Amino acid sequence: QVQLVESGGGLVQAGGSLRLSCSASGSIFRINAMGWYRQAPGKQRELVAHITSGGSTNYADSLKGRFTISRDNAKNTVYLQMNSLKPEDTAVYYCNAYDTIQIKIAYWGQGTQVTVSS
C-alpha cells in the first residue's frame, strides 16, 4: 500500500500563488506517475496535471502556463506550483499515484482545500 499526504492549501487572493506538496510513503516501488486532480463544489473531479517518474508532464489545457507540476523522486514528493490564481481555481485538490502492478490510479490523498478570494 501507498499513503499520500497533501499539504500547502489555504486561502489566497486572486492573482496570488500557492504551492501544494504531496508526500508518498509505504510501497513506493509500486508507483510511477503521480498527479493532481481537483473538485469544486457541485462539479466533477477533474485532472489538473500529472508527472511520471521520468519527469514527463501533462496538464489540463486550461491550466497550462499558470500551474507547474514537479517531482523530487529522492523525497517521494510531488509539487504543484499554482500562480495567477483565480476564484474559479477554488476546489479541493487531491494527489494521486499510479500503481504499476494494479495498472491504474490506485492511491489518493485526503485532499487539501484551496480557496481563492476575489
Side-chain angles (χ1 to χ4, degrees):
Q1 291 296 317
V2 174
Q3 295 77 44
L4 302 175
V5 178
E6 301 113 331
S7 61
L11 174 64
V12 64
Q13 288 189 333
S17 299
L18 281 175
R19 189 176 84 152
L20 306 182
S21 300
C22 173
S23 294
S25 61
S27 301
I28 303 300
F29 66 93
R30 300 178 67 102
I31 64 176
N32 181 348
M34 295 180 69
W36 294 92
Y37 277 66
R38 68 184 184 183
Q39 188 166 19
K43 295 187 177 181
Q44 290 189 330
R45 194 173 293 191
E46 61 177 1
L47 170 71
V48 174
H50 68 78
I51 184 169
T52 68
S53 57
S56 297
T57 59
N58 185 48
Y59 294 90
D61 287 342
S62 62
L63 301 177
K64 290 179 181 178
R66 293 196 299 122
F67 287 17
T68 303
I69 190 169
S70 61
R71 182 169 180 166
D72 185 334
N73 289 330
K75 295 182 178 180
N76 299 315
T77 299
V78 63
Y79 305 97
L80 184 69
Q81 178 67 42
M82 305 184 292
N83 298 327
S84 302
L85 283 162
K86 304 175 181 180
E88 51 264 44
D89 294 318
T90 295
V92 179
Y93 285 69
Y94 296 92
C95 175
N96 65 54
Y98 183 92
D99 187 310
T100 59
I101 297 174
Q102 298 187 57
I103 315 178
K104 66 177 183 179
I105 295 175
Y107 309 106
W108 292 87
Q110 79 285 357
T112 186
Q113 177 70 47
V114 171
T115 303
V116 184
S117 63
S118 58

